[in-house]
Amino acid sequence: MKRCLILVDLQNDFMPGGALGVPKGDEVIAVANRLAPKFDYVVASQDWHPPDHRSFASQHTERKAGDVIDLDGLDQVLWPDHCVQGSHGAELHKDLDLACIDVMFQKGTDRNIDSYSTFYDNAHRRSTGLGDHLRERGTKAVWILGLATDYCVKFTAMDALSLGLSTSVVPEGCRGIDVVPGDVDRAWEEMRAAGVSVVPCEDLG
Ligand code: VGL
Ligand code: ZN
């Protein structure tokens, strides 16, 4: 198996109107459906939080979404409650072709630490198993798309690189949050500087 596609967090809560809606996030579903058949293997991640996850602003008194706190020594952006395990918001978008997904990985399940990356939590304390899974299948290269560019896509791409995988991100398949204006542009710059290839759809023939 050579080509693996990672679909990051294509869940209802990240769609426009969702709890943590990403502007135009729904536009990437068609891109995912179009690209998936071109790959040997497709992985989908789900942000999958317990209802009392400590990244939720609701768990902190006198804090609101967008605030940054120290969470056990890590900077943590506080978010609206989102992607609660088993909720409608945590489900993948109804138009995503589930038949093309080989395996799902869930992350953010420990209430005490966030996990933007599909590979590791934000402190790299625990792995989701995706890295081993890909290695066992002989994967050397991954292509990534999904939500959101400046969080889960970026962190997933950075971890893929750190595991020695050749890492590409498909820009038409990503949308970002921009909590601070410019975050999305900076995310692309950071990814490129680290060695991520930005590969447009049309190059994926
Ligand atoms: C995400 C913020 C919080 C993401 C997940 O999927 O990018 N962002 N949880
Ligand atoms: Zn989350």
Side-chain angles (χ1 to χ4, degrees):
M1 180 243 312
K2 282 178 297 202
R3 290 153 65 97
C4 174
L5 179 66
I6 304 177
L7 305 174
V8 177
D9 297 2
L10 299 179
Q11 295 164 275
N12 292 323
D13 273 342
F14 296 120
M15 300 297 157
L20 212 174
V22 179
K24 305 186 192 230
D26 51 337
E27 293 178 359
V28 311
I29 301 298
V31 180
N33 287 339
R34 192 162 72 241
L35 290 185
K38 298 179 189 289
F39 286 82
D40 302 304
Y41 200 68
V42 180
V43 173
S45 71
Q46 268 178 311
D47 211 30
W48 195 250
H49 298 308
D52 58 352
H53 196 267
R54 287 168 76 204
S55 73
F56 295 170
S58 62
Q59 297 299 305
H60 305 269
T61 47
E62 293 176 28
R63 294 290 185 178
K64 58 182 190 321
D67 288 354
V68 179
I69 63 161
D70 179 292
L71 188 57
D72 299 340
L74 291 184
D75 274 1
Q76 175 67 52
V77 180
L78 295 180
W79 303 105
D81 293 16
H82 65 279
C83 296
V84 172
Q85 297 170 4
S87 69
H88 172 76
E91 285 170 21
L92 298 176
H93 188 286
K94 65 174 178 20
D95 295 335
L96 182 65
D97 183 3
L98 299 182
C100 68
I101 297 171
D102 293 288
V103 61
M104 311 255 292
F105 279 85
Q106 294 166 337
K107 62 187 180 63
T109 54
D110 178 343
R111 76 175 289 260
N112 292 311
I113 189 161
D114 215 346
S115 183
Y116 295 140
S117 162
T118 312
F119 290 94
Y120 296 100
D121 63 52
N122 289 1
H124 281 220
R125 286 182 200 134
R126 270 209 302 205
S127 120
T128 60
L130 176 58
D132 288 340
H133 187 91
L134 294 180
R135 199 177 48 246
E136 283 159 13
R137 278 156 191 78
T139 305
K140 302 224 165 19
V142 296
W143 284 256
I144 299 167
L145 66 78
L147 307 172
T149 313
D150 36 353
Y151 286 92
C152 292
V153 170
K154 182 182 88 173
F155 278 67
T156 298
M158 294 302 203
D159 279 349
L161 274 180
S162 78
L163 289 170
L165 295 160
S166 156
T167 306
S168 303
V169 179
V170 183
E172 300 92 331
C174 300
R175 298 290 184 277
I177 304 177
D178 256 352
V179 172
V180 177
D183 277 354
V184 173
D185 289 343
R186 282 187 289 273
W188 286 115
E189 277 164 32
E190 255 182 78
M191 286 190 278
R192 278 185 214 270
V196 171
S197 304
V198 179
V199 177
C201 265
E202 59 176 25
D203 292 2
L204 283 166

